[in-house]
Amino acid sequence: MSDPVGTPVVAVALDGVGWHPGAWRRSPEEARRSATAAYWRDLVLPLDDAGVDVVTWEDPFGIPGDGYGEPAARADRLRVAPEPVLLASALAPSTRRVALVPSVVTTHTEPFHVATAVATLDHASLGRAGVRLRADATRTRARLLGRRDLPPLETATRDAPLSLAARDEVFADAGEVAEVLGRLWDSWEDDAEIRDATTGRFVDRDRLHHIDFVGDHLAVKGPSIVPRSPQGRPPVLVLAHDPRAFALAAAAADVVLVTPDAPYPGDDAAGSVARVRAAEAAAGRAEPPLRVLGEVDVVLGATREEATRRLAELDALAHPGGGAWRSDAVVVVGTPVDLLARADTWRAAGLDGLRLRPAEHAVDLPLLLEHVLPHLVDAGRPVLTLRERLGLERPRSRYAAPTREDAS
């Protein structure tokens, strides 16, 4: 089987001062700076120089939770979360090669604004933009906006009919958002801007298209107000934890993020890839196969004992009454060599790469930069668009007239 991406795709997910909820208590000054662009620039530029392929940001869209269900009203969690698309756009001119992928909550964000913001990011980064789509079925976050109501989503009631219906609804809504994004990004043909000063025509109106989308949840006429961006359609990422998310990814994404040893009992990395391929077949996917990245939280140390001690200290800060970190990703607690060995195993099992989630930016990012990333990424690779890095062709606008090549 051909390898569409070549060397493994390596993404680093940045969130707060680290993914562990106790991280901010060991770095209170960094937590204070985390609302500033300077804080994020200090994190991203070394990753850019190191040759990391992608940096992502979360959009918790409200108070971060500690797992499945409604986020608890806790005062001991970091609440600073800059708007990720704006943050990525602010950092784009400072970076050279790394792709910038913010998360967007589709349940509560107008797709027209998402399409124009991500296209603008693609222009600002010269083709290094992507977007991760996330559906959110929690009542707490829905009530932040007040535009729709959802039933409470608790672990004990997750399989109740109302909870199942709510999740069906938000994922169906996300599918429509993804379709609208693609159509809006195609609504300007590549040569729609003619800028003919002599005749005074800036655009060729025949190359701008209404998208006329009408679904069960959305009706969008278009066209976009942003010209077609360098990639045409910036890549779409989806994190898959349940069958609805696998189906959404197969129907509408370019990259799917999976947990190599979960969420289904008995799954290993190969099992996760097989689940992705089954979802593609069920969806009748005609696009290139999904690129599959594994979700990995990392707690590193010079020795396994040191890494284990660090995790225990972080857990004690986050759960003073006792408790452990609950993550939706594989958690690697060990040395850089341990992480590299696991990465080799996952790559051999069919993953196209990893999204590394440092538990504590101040400690784990320097260890990744010094001891892990030099073995996973090519610091001298040329500047590529994100689509090129993923081995994906730049698509023509679906509204463009067929060419001779299309007919042959």
Side-chain angles (χ1 to χ4, degrees), residues 215-242:
D216 294 331
H217 305 270
L218 298 168
V220 180
K221 188 170 185 61
S224 177
I225 57 172
V226 178
R228 201 149 196 260
S229 70
Q231 296 183 94
R233 291 179 217 144
V236 171
L237 287 70
V238 168
L239 172 62
H241 280 327
D242 79 359

Side-chain angles (χ1 to χ4, degrees), residues 25-359:
R25 297 185 66 178
R26 299 199 343 157
S27 305
E29 178 59 21
E30 293 301 282
R32 186 189 67 79
R33 294 182 64 229
S34 63
T36 68
Y39 168 76
W40 298 100
R41 189 167 54 246
D42 290 347
L43 298 179
V44 171
L45 293 188
L47 296 171
D48 189 32
D49 290 340
V52 166
D53 298 303
V54 179
V55 169
T56 69
W57 287 273
E58 301 308 294
D59 185 359
F61 213 85
I63 303 167
D66 280 340
Y68 181 84
E70 300 291 332
R74 300 182 60 156
D76 61 344
R77 295 292 186 261
L78 180 66
R79 295 173 181 235
V80 179
E83 204 292 319
V85 181
L86 291 176
L87 178 61
S89 294
L91 297 176
S94 303
T95 55
R96 297 178 299 132
R97 292 183 297 181
V98 70
L100 308 167
V101 178
S103 296
V104 169
V105 177
T106 58
T107 312
H108 307 303
T109 313
E110 291 289 345
F112 188 90
H113 296 315
V114 177
T116 56
V118 174
T120 300
L121 173 60
D122 204 37
H123 281 290
S125 64
L126 305 177
R128 293 179 285 119
V131 62
R132 180 194 152 207
L133 304 184
R134 186 166 75 84
D136 190 322
T138 59
R139 168 182 276 185
T140 303
R141 296 187 183 108
R143 289 185 169 177
L144 288 173
L145 283 81
R147 295 174 53 197
R148 66 199 308 174
D149 199 13
L150 295 169
L153 192 64
E154 302 294 349
T155 302
T157 60
R158 64 179 300 170
D159 293 327
L162 280 178
S163 292
L164 293 173
R167 281 182 280 160
D168 288 343
E169 177 185 335
V170 298
F171 275 100
D173 182 71
E176 292 190 4
V177 170
E179 176 65 20
V180 168
L181 295 183
R183 293 191 190 196
L184 286 170
W185 288 333
D186 283 349
S187 63
W188 286 57
E189 294 185 37
D190 287 313
D191 51 359
E193 286 185 75
I194 53 179
R195 297 182 292 275
D196 188 337
T198 303
T199 63
R201 295 175 68 219
F202 184 79
V203 298
D204 181 346
R205 193 64 187 80
D206 292 337
R207 289 181 168 77
L208 295 184
H209 302 275
H210 295 297
I211 69 169
D212 291 323
F213 178 84
V214 179
D216 294 331
H217 305 270
L218 298 168
V220 180
K221 188 170 185 61
S224 177
I225 57 172
V226 178
R228 201 149 196 260
S229 70
Q231 296 183 94
R233 291 179 217 144
V236 171
L237 287 70
V238 168
L239 172 62
H241 280 327
D242 79 359
R244 301 170 189 79
F246 278 96
L248 172 64
D254 302 289
V255 177
V256 61
L257 307 170
V258 301
T259 304
D261 301 318
Y264 302 98
D267 262 5
D268 52 14
S272 297
V273 174
R275 202 174 294 281
V276 170
R277 301 305 172 218
E280 290 176 333
R285 183 182 175 91
E287 301 293 323
L290 283 161
R291 300 339 186 203
V292 186
L293 305 187
E295 287 277 276
V296 184
D297 288 320
V298 293
V299 185
L300 297 177
T303 64
R304 293 175 185 172
E305 292 73 20
E306 179 182 317
T308 301
R309 175 181 54 76
R310 282 192 56 225
L311 178 58
E313 291 172 354
L314 289 166
D315 282 345
L317 290 170
H319 308 283
W325 185 18
R326 297 168 57 198
S327 175
D328 61 347
V330 170
V331 182
V332 173
V333 184
T335 67
V337 172
D338 293 332
L339 176 58
L340 289 167
R342 297 287 295 274
D344 286 343
T345 300
W346 290 323
R347 179 68 168 154
L351 294 186
D352 295 306
L354 301 173
R355 187 169 80 137
L356 302 172
R357 310 189 332 187

